[in-house]
Amino acid sequence: MSLIEAIILGIVQGLTEFLPVSSSGHLQIGQHFMDINEGGLRFDVTVHVATVMATLVILRKEILAIIKGFFKPLAPAGEGVSLWRRLNDEQRYVVLIVISMIPVGIVGLCFKDYVEAIFEGSLVVVGCCLMVTAMLLALTHFYKPQERETISPLHAFIIGIAQAVAVLPGLSRSGSTIATGLLLGNKKESLAQFSFLMVIPPILGEALLEVRHIVAPSAEYAAEHAADLASIPTSALLAGFVAAFVCGCFACKWMIQMVKKAKLIYFAAYCLIAGIVCIVIA
């Protein structure tokens, strides 16, 4: 992988991680057209960590406020007062994040390698999943339920299921979670922030799992993923990281504003066209 190729793919990852168009799908598309077959795993881990860092930078005030509020004491116990009501807003927020992580945790630990072995590298799958993303985003434009003030634990779990399904390449993680939340009637002003924060633990956990494969791969894994495990120049990794981080900062901030304005139909049209192109090329 050359320096220019790393920068281009880093830009692609930084932009598409937060926009509802699937970063994994676009990375596969980019690698397909550039004919890049080596070092993919190392590069993917690097740029995904970069976009997590971008999230932490853009939402640093909100994250610090959540952490500060989480460690405040519970409200006094009273007769008929549930534990949920004793929690403050920040503590409830953390609980919702944890609930949303349950489905993706199960899929990531039990089925991720199986799903990737079947679907990864197929432009047909990427194209079909991009069209599913387009459908979800289009539904938010035409179906507008009455908005709720807060996200409930049940809705957090359902949004988590949407995130877990987005392990398929081409099915946007942010698009699936945001669209699902909007279709459930959650308030769009708080939904984008929740969607971006809920993906931080899974992405970091996924990166740690991939690092395990890089550092100490099993013989079977090494044989099946020799190209992905191949070395890649440090300069290319650094360039990809910087490009993904810078573009991720812009994309994260922009996407929060886009969700508030609920203009996701344009992304639906893009995903539809991109999906058709992928299928035709394949």
Side-chain angles (χ1 to χ4, degrees):
M1 183 183 297
S2 69
L3 201 64
I4 297 300
E5 289 172 337
I7 292 173
I8 293 173
L9 290 177
I11 292 172
V12 169
Q13 167 64 25
L15 291 176
T16 57
E17 178 64 36
F18 300 102
L19 302 183
V21 295
S22 176
S23 62
S24 61
H26 277 73
L27 278 179
Q28 283 197 25
I29 294 170
Q31 290 168 352
H32 173 82
F33 281 107
M34 294 181 188
D35 196 24
I36 297 173
N37 299 313
E38 295 185 348
L41 181 58
R42 297 173 188 270
F43 186 81
D44 288 356
V45 170
T46 300
V47 293
H48 274 88
V49 171
T51 49
V52 168
M53 297 299 294
T55 307
L56 295 176
V57 169
I58 296 302
L59 299 177
R60 60 189 181 280
K61 292 181 180 179
E62 292 81 356
I63 293 172
L64 289 174
I66 292 171
I67 294 174
K68 185 177 179 181
F70 179 75
F71 291 102
K72 290 181 179 179
L74 298 178
E79 186 176 351
V81 178
S82 65
L83 178 60
W84 180 255
R85 291 185 177 275
R86 293 178 59 195
L87 301 177
N88 61 38
D89 291 340
E90 291 79 13
Q91 290 165 339
R92 291 195 191 101
Y93 203 91
V94 172
V95 172
L96 293 175
I97 293 289
V98 173
I99 291 174
S100 73
M101 289 167 50
I102 295 173
V104 74
I106 295 172
V107 171
L109 292 174
C110 302
F111 304 107
K112 182 177 181 295
D113 291 342
Y114 178 74
V115 171
E116 288 182 347
I118 296 177
F119 298 111
E120 193 167 12
S122 171
L123 278 188
V124 173
V125 174
V126 171
C128 291
C129 288
L130 280 170
M131 294 175 72
V132 173
T133 300
M135 181 188 68
L136 283 172
L137 295 174
L139 282 174
T140 66
H141 182 75
F142 297 105
Y143 176 70
K144 300 182 183 297
Q146 185 176 356
E147 286 189 349
R148 303 169 182 266
E149 287 298 320
T150 57
I151 299 173
S152 68
L154 176 59
H155 284 187
F157 186 77
I158 295 174
I159 295 172
I161 293 175
Q163 179 179 223
V165 175
V167 69
L168 293 171
L171 192 57
S172 169
R173 192 194 310 254
S174 62
S176 298
T177 54
I178 291 172
T180 301
L182 290 174
L183 293 172
L184 290 171
N186 292 288
K187 198 173 182 180
K188 52 183 178 291
E189 284 77 10
S190 59
L191 188 57
Q193 176 180 306
F194 181 78
S195 175
F196 293 155
L197 290 179
M198 69 182 280
V199 305
I200 292 177
I203 289 180
L204 289 178
E206 182 179 346
L208 288 175
L209 290 175
E210 302 295 3
V211 167
R212 176 199 64 184
H213 290 313
I214 294 172
V215 175
S218 64
E220 182 181 355
Y221 188 92
E224 293 180 359
H225 300 82
D228 281 338
L229 293 172
S231 61
I232 182 173
T234 303
S235 58
L237 289 177
L238 182 60
F241 181 93
V242 173
F245 175 78
V246 173
C247 292
C249 287
F250 284 106
C252 181
K253 202 166 187 178
W254 181 39
M255 191 59 203
I256 290 175
Q257 297 303 318
M258 286 295 295
V259 174
K260 289 180 180 179
K261 296 176 182 178
K263 294 182 179 179
L264 301 181
I265 190 65
Y266 305 115
F267 294 108
Y270 170 81
C271 288
L272 178 62
I273 294 171
I276 293 173
V277 170
C278 283
I279 293 173
V280 170
I281 290 174

